[in-house]
Amino acid sequence: MAPSPLILWGARLIDGRGAVQDRATVVITGSTITDVGPAQRDRPPGAIDLTGRTMLPGLVDAHVHLSSHMERSPDFGPREVLNGEPPRPRELGYFILAKAARALLDAGITTVRDVGSYDDEALALREANRLGLVGGPRVLSCGRIVSATAPGGRIFGTMYREADGPDEMRKAVREQIRRGADFIKVMATGARSVVDEDPEPAQLTQPELHAVVDEAHRMGLRVAAHAEGLGGTRLAVEEGVDTIEHGLSLHREPRLLDRMAERGIVLVPTLTTFHDLAERFTTDFAPKLVEQAKRQLEDAYRTLTAAARAGVILAMGHDSGPPGDDAVELVRMVEGGLSPQAAITAGTSGAARALGLDDAGAVTPGKRADLLVVDGNPLDSIGILRERSRIWLVIKDGQPSGGRALDARGLQPG
Ligand SMILES: [Zn+2]
């Protein structure tokens, strides 16, 4: 017997591509959106009444680090081990990952792109999720981050695969494909979170970055480039990577933004991570890095508006914690000058573009049925998307998977 369709009726619809309907009906059959149109005057039999609520695509986060380490998420993981208590088993980490996955889904994040995790944790979570062992968003993983031999390698350990020279770069990419990577992440510059790295110059030579992009693209994988300073950012854009992560220096060379707009290279501005280093965790980082982050924070906002003006596709990337607070990035985008509509586009179809997914990020027929229903109107107040109490229903792959409606058994079709 074919499954009976799920009919969502009467909500305002933000479709993720910039269009809004006042009262819409969305029909889901199996795991696919099969019909979208204006709401009929009378509620169809069996439809769920969403009058007064807003429906939008499930949010997509293009820059997360799935991790059992909770440095950026005080209070989310288990409390610290006290002196005299036995050490915690390593395997506890997988339960923390499962809790993180649940928190993401409950916040309406239905897809995440992991851009680097320790000990292949993101790959383990992806598999657990595919097998239905844990609730959580769909996960795309880069495997390990391809980096030149660099000081960051000593700090980030198993998150990195260090390589030097074009041939070794190819091998490093192939290793990630072997490991099961969905895309390749490469360090085009050093990182702002490492004292001994200067994030300004390109960290790879042109032949090295060329080899990474060529190898990945030939094998059908996209490339995400960590790019802070202008030297590495320029090289990454010119070599044709698919997404620029951070990209804060781009406002200094508008020609690169024009090139990105032309070629559909997506910018993931990760504003929140600069606030983390400059304001939130100032005592956890070396003073030099905190000072650097204050300058970078201003640069990141300048680049946000310059990129929007140039028509560059933007994507939400939280790059912080706790898991589930990802939409703070959309709040920052609005504070930085984007309209709420543009921010929502960045958190849905823009981020889906970053991931290279054409089945996510929009509420249109044929897309995967990943949806979010919230109380109120995020176009009036973007902060609604951060409030757990406002998340009424999360649908993933056509299945009600999170939100208050499930807690309260409020999902009784009429
Ligand atoms: Zn990151």
Side-chain angles (χ1 to χ4, degrees):
M1 206 176 78
S4 57
L6 183 62
I7 306 171
L8 307 171
W9 174 81
R12 176 184 302 104
L13 173 65
I14 301 170
D15 78 347
R17 291 168 156 184
V20 183
Q21 280 188 49
D22 273 345
R23 282 174 63 78
T25 298
V26 172
V27 180
I28 296 168
T29 310
S31 59
T32 307
I33 297 168
T34 46
D35 197 22
V36 179
Q40 310 83 329
R41 209 166 57 87
D42 297 316
R43 181 168 54 148
I48 296 166
D49 184 357
L50 298 176
T51 305
R53 298 194 160 101
T54 303
M55 201 161 24
L56 61 159
L59 298 176
V60 178
D61 194 326
H63 192 122
V64 303
H65 298 274
L66 295 167
S67 180
S68 60
H69 302 261
M70 286 284 143
E71 295 88 4
R72 302 266 185 119
S73 310
D75 308 322
F76 185 90
R79 64 163 176 78
E80 302 247 315
V81 179
L82 300 175
N83 288 337
E85 288 184 334
R88 302 252 171 78
R90 154 94 192 81
E91 292 74 11
L92 210 56
Y94 295 105
F95 295 90
I96 299 171
L97 280 171
K99 183 184 173 187
R102 186 70 247 170
L104 286 162
L105 192 57
D106 280 337
I109 319 292
T110 50
T111 306
V112 297
R113 184 179 66 156
D114 182 274
V115 288
S117 77
Y118 293 105
D119 301 320
D120 300 327
E121 286 185 338
L123 288 165
L125 183 61
R126 185 185 72 181
E127 196 61 11
N129 187 254
R130 274 183 188 167
L131 294 169
L133 301 175
V134 289
R138 168 162 51 153
V139 174
L140 271 64
S141 164
C142 68
R144 297 187 181 186
I145 300 171
V146 177
S147 165
T149 298
R154 292 171 68 194
I155 291 178
F156 297 116
T158 59
M159 194 184 280
Y160 274 26
R161 161 50 160 112
E162 290 172 290
D164 303 288
D167 286 351
E168 225 181 299
M169 288 292 159
R170 277 189 201 278
K171 186 165 174 78
V173 169
R174 288 173 183 176
E175 280 177 12
Q176 304 325 304
I177 297 173
R178 179 179 192 261
R179 188 170 259 122
D182 299 291
F183 69 101
I184 298 300
K185 164 90 179 282
V186 63
M187 299 298 286
T189 70
R192 70 204 168 281
S193 51
V194 176
V195 170
D196 290 339
E197 287 189 0
D198 177 356
E200 194 51 38
Q203 202 173 47
L204 299 179
T205 62
Q206 183 273 334
E208 285 175 325
L209 190 55
H210 180 82
V212 169
V213 175
D214 182 66
E215 191 63 30
H217 282 178
R218 200 183 73 257
M219 298 308 289
L221 275 73
R222 292 165 66 81
V223 178
H226 172 108
E228 296 187 38
L230 204 47
T233 309
R234 187 185 299 119
L235 192 57
V237 171
E238 285 171 356
E239 286 304 320
V241 304
D242 301 284
T243 67
I244 294 286
E245 310 299 309
H246 318 299
L248 57 136
S249 301
L250 281 161
H251 72 91
R252 287 155 53 197
E253 198 164 312
R255 154 189 100 76
L256 292 176
L257 290 168
D258 293 338
R259 183 100 169 243
M260 288 173 69
E262 258 164 53
R263 298 198 169 178
I265 299 174
V266 181
L267 174 66
V268 192
T270 67
L271 302 167
T272 307
T273 202
F274 297 107
H275 284 277
D276 276 2
L277 256 75
E279 296 164 354
R280 187 167 164 226
F281 298 119
T282 51
T283 54
D284 299 346
F285 285 92
K288 177 188 157 185
L289 298 180
V290 174
E291 288 312 308
Q292 176 174 271
K294 286 177 185 166
R295 295 191 298 273
Q296 289 192 323
L297 181 62
E298 285 182 30
D299 275 329
Y301 277 96
R302 269 190 213 124
T303 291
L304 174 76
T305 46
R309 232 181 293 123
V312 174
I313 300 166
L314 299 168
M316 171 172 81
H318 187 206
D319 198 13
S320 181
D325 196 30
D326 309 49
V328 67
E329 182 68 13
L330 304 185
V331 174
R332 309 269 200 216
M333 284 178 166
V334 171
E335 285 168 358
L338 296 197
S339 67
Q341 179 68 269
I344 290 171
T345 298
T348 54
S349 63
R353 281 288 293 276
L355 275 59
L357 297 177
D358 49 23
D359 63 350
V363 183
T364 49
K367 300 285 183 196
R368 191 188 278 243
D370 291 342
L371 282 118
L372 170 58
V373 179
V374 296
D375 290 328
N377 184 358
L379 294 175
D380 292 339
S381 170
I382 191 77
I384 284 175
L385 296 174
R386 264 184 97 183
E387 291 177 39
R388 276 292 300 280
S389 62
R390 302 275 206 150
I391 307 292
W392 194 75
L393 180 63
V394 181
I395 295 176
K396 187 189 165 223
D397 286 330
Q399 297 298 318
S401 303
R404 264 182 31 238
L406 294 193
D407 309 340
R409 302 204 165 277
L411 249 200
Q412 301 298 340

